Amino acid sequence: MPEGNEIYRYAQLHREKFVGKTICVETPNGRFPDAPRLTGRKLKAVLAHGKHLGYDFGRDRKLHVHLGRFGDFTEGKMPFPEAKGALRMRWSTRTDWLELRGAIDCSIYTDEQWQALENRLGADPLALNADPSPAFAYVQKAKLAIGALLMDQTVFAGIGNIYRAELLYRAKQNPFTAGKDISAKTLKAIWKDAVKLMPDGMVDRRIVTTRAKDRPHKTGRALRDETHYVYHRHGKPCFVCGTTIRRTEMAGRTLYWCPKCQPDETGAERAFLARSKPIREPEGARETSPRTAAHIRKE
């Protein structure tokens, strides 16, 4: 699933190419029946919050897009290519075109609906002047594991599975620790790190969370297998301590962590693993599963 860095990258790209222009909106296979309500209108703004995109066409018409796990945009210069695949929507100006496939939502919101969505979403590390204090207050009263809380979009918006694993590793925080047992200092450090790392991930669609000093190759661009400390590195040695990286399922996604660098100081890890079923399927099966933990509020 695209995380906040990717959503903001799309917002920036689409803002530069399409805002202020009259858009021809089409639905080649009929999967966006509201296209006639937008076509011929001028795009006024592109909004982003967490994993949500909003395209403001004015007069109470905001196109809401949530890419989900499989959604993606493609774009290019006119003329259009041949329409292929499960094309949900496409639009064009005289010079540029945009296509959307695989999104879990592509629908028109009123201004009130968009505002209600924003009100439900938590603090966004990519938003200017975002206030994380309500999220901190919620976490410090929660019995739920911090690894689950970071995936709750009503607490922190835009943080997904990669950033969850990597932010916790960089903070040396055990992911199974209850929110109420996390220090204010650690929460602030995680937030500050997210504010730094997530904009970096907008640049070239490449999330790099490792520090150069910790990589096998200390200089130059991080190699493909050096970009993350723990994410998708289960069974491999930790770059820092050499301990084998582990994985389990938490909040409907695969969680990765280093048992030594992220020590179990409260016993929460032992308790969680004792009641959890080990992952037996090939890597990736859980990552693309539509099942989501019932107690995690997804947006």
Side-chain angles (χ1 to χ4, degrees):
M1 178 183 291
E3 302 190 29
N5 64 301
E6 187 78 343
I7 298 305
Y8 273 76
R9 191 190 74 84
Y10 280 133
Q12 180 176 300
L13 176 65
H14 299 167
R15 195 177 292 124
E16 293 171 354
K17 285 191 175 182
F18 297 108
V19 165
K21 298 180 181 179
T22 299
I23 311 294
C24 175
V25 183
E26 303 175 64
T27 175
N29 58 11
R31 298 190 65 202
F32 179 46
D34 284 332
R37 295 180 59 194
L38 300 179
T39 194
R41 302 184 67 88
K42 184 177 292 187
L43 181 63
K44 297 181 177 297
V46 181
L47 312 171
H49 193 147
K51 299 179 182 180
H52 300 258
L53 284 161
Y55 299 84
D56 187 357
F57 284 86
R59 295 188 184 178
D60 229 24
R61 296 182 190 183
K62 285 186 170 63
L63 173 64
H64 171 253
V65 173
H66 191 307
L67 294 176
R69 296 192 182 184
F70 307 108
D72 200 9
F73 290 103
T74 52
E75 57 274 323
K77 293 291 183 180
M78 291 294 284
F80 270 128
E82 179 185 353
K84 296 181 180 179
L87 183 55
R88 183 76 170 268
M89 176 192 72
R90 70 178 182 180
W91 70 27
S92 61
T93 64
R94 292 181 179 180
T95 57
D96 297 276
W97 58 264
L98 176 73
E99 293 183 337
L100 172 66
R101 291 176 174 83
I104 62 172
D105 187 54
C106 175
S107 60
I108 296 177
Y109 275 26
T110 63
D111 293 341
E112 183 178 355
Q113 287 175 309
W114 178 262
Q115 188 60 56
L117 170 65
E118 290 206 310
N119 291 343
R120 290 197 302 272
L121 294 172
D124 186 339
L126 284 161
L128 293 176
N129 304 315
D131 178 14
S133 56
F136 293 168
Y138 181 86
V139 169
Q140 293 189 298
K141 294 179 181 178
K143 296 181 181 180
L144 202 60
I146 185 62
L149 291 165
L150 283 179
M151 294 286 281
D152 186 337
Q153 297 298 296
T154 68
V155 181
F156 296 102
I159 294 176
N161 207 27
I162 299 176
Y163 283 113
R164 163 177 73 168
E166 297 298 298
L167 289 169
L168 289 172
Y169 178 87
R170 286 168 60 99
K172 304 306 179 187
Q173 175 59 58
N174 186 273
F176 304 92
T177 304
K180 64 182 180 61
D181 295 325
I182 307 294
S183 70
K185 180 180 179 180
T186 297
L187 280 178
K188 290 178 181 178
I190 290 172
W191 173 262
K192 184 178 180 180
D193 211 20
V195 170
K196 174 186 180 297
L197 289 178
M198 294 182 74
D200 291 345
M202 290 175 56
V203 177
D204 58 2
R205 308 184 75 173
R206 189 171 187 251
I207 298 177
V208 178
T209 57
T210 51
R211 300 176 176 93
K213 66 182 181 66
D214 296 330
R215 299 171 196 149
H217 298 86
K218 309 296 183 185
T219 59
R221 182 180 171 90
L223 301 182
R224 184 175 181 180
D225 59 353
E226 299 176 339
T227 56
H228 304 140
Y229 282 106
V230 292
Y231 181 76
H232 270 190
R233 296 198 66 247
H234 62 281
K236 298 178 181 180
C238 173
F239 290 138
V240 175
C241 72
T243 302
T244 301
I245 302 301
R246 299 188 64 186
R247 65 171 179 163
T248 190
E249 185 178 294
M250 179 185 284
R253 305 295 297 279
T254 304
L255 169 73
Y256 305 85
W257 82 103
C258 173
K260 185 173 181 180
C261 291
Q262 299 166 266
D264 181 19
E265 297 177 345
T266 66
E269 177 182 322
R270 292 190 298 275
F272 184 96
L273 296 178
R275 62 177 182 268
S276 300
K277 295 180 179 180
I279 295 178
R280 301 182 185 279
E281 74 283 353
E283 173 58 22
R286 290 285 183 177
E287 291 299 304
T288 58
S289 169
R291 186 172 69 83
T292 302
H295 62 277
I296 296 297
R297 298 168 293 171
K298 295 293 182 183
E299 294 291 346

